[in-house]
């Protein structure tokens, strides 16, 4: 899924931006529903919560995409890192 999002031209920064935008949109949806609809506070709260639930998804996708951007195929398999000599010896502490 992350690869497909990257093929679409999205990056981790764009996912983070969409997460923050959904927080602002949540407040705007709540305020608009409260003013425009006559359904009351409960309906406005539902709109705000509905849109507000998008933010964690965008932030999680942003984290996944950031890991893919930083590590790529290199971080998927320890065998490839071992073959390349990138695994360090454990450090003694204490």
């Amino acid at each position: 899924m992350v690869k497909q999002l990257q093929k679409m031209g999205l990056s981790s920064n764009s996912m983070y931006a969409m997460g923050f935008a959904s927080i602002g949109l949540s407040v705007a949806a709540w305020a608009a529903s409260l003013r425009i609809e006559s359904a009351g506070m409960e309906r406005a709260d539902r709109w705000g919560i509905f849109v507000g639930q998008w933010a964690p998804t965008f932030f999680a996708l942003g984290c996944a995409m950031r890991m893919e951007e930083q590590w790529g195929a290199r971080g998927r398999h320890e065998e490839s890192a071992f073959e390349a000599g990138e695994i360090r010896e454990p450090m003694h502490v204490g």
Side-chain angles (χ1 to χ4, degrees):
M1 181 174 173
V2 171
K3 287 286 188 188
Q4 186 64 32
L5 290 171
Q6 287 177 334
K7 286 179 185 178
M8 294 170 53
L10 296 171
S11 67
S12 60
N13 289 335
S14 61
M15 286 292 155
Y16 294 140
M18 291 184 343
F20 284 115
S22 70
I23 293 171
L25 187 60
S26 173
V27 174
W30 175 81
S33 178
L34 190 60
R35 289 183 184 171
I36 296 170
E37 295 181 326
S38 62
M41 181 71 81
E42 294 82 16
R43 175 75 175 218
D45 287 347
R46 283 188 215 117
W47 272 111
I49 291 171
F50 172 70
V51 177
Q53 289 178 346
W54 301 347
T57 304
F58 287 130
F59 288 130
L61 285 170
C63 288
M65 291 182 77
R66 177 63 52 101
M67 289 185 344
E68 183 69 25
E69 291 165 2
Q70 287 181 342
W71 301 102
R74 205 178 57 176
R76 289 193 189 124
H77 305 289
E78 289 185 38
E79 296 84 18
S80 64
F82 181 71
E83 292 171 2
E86 294 180 14
I87 295 182
R88 297 179 184 164
E89 294 293 322
M91 185 172 63
H92 178 68
V93 178

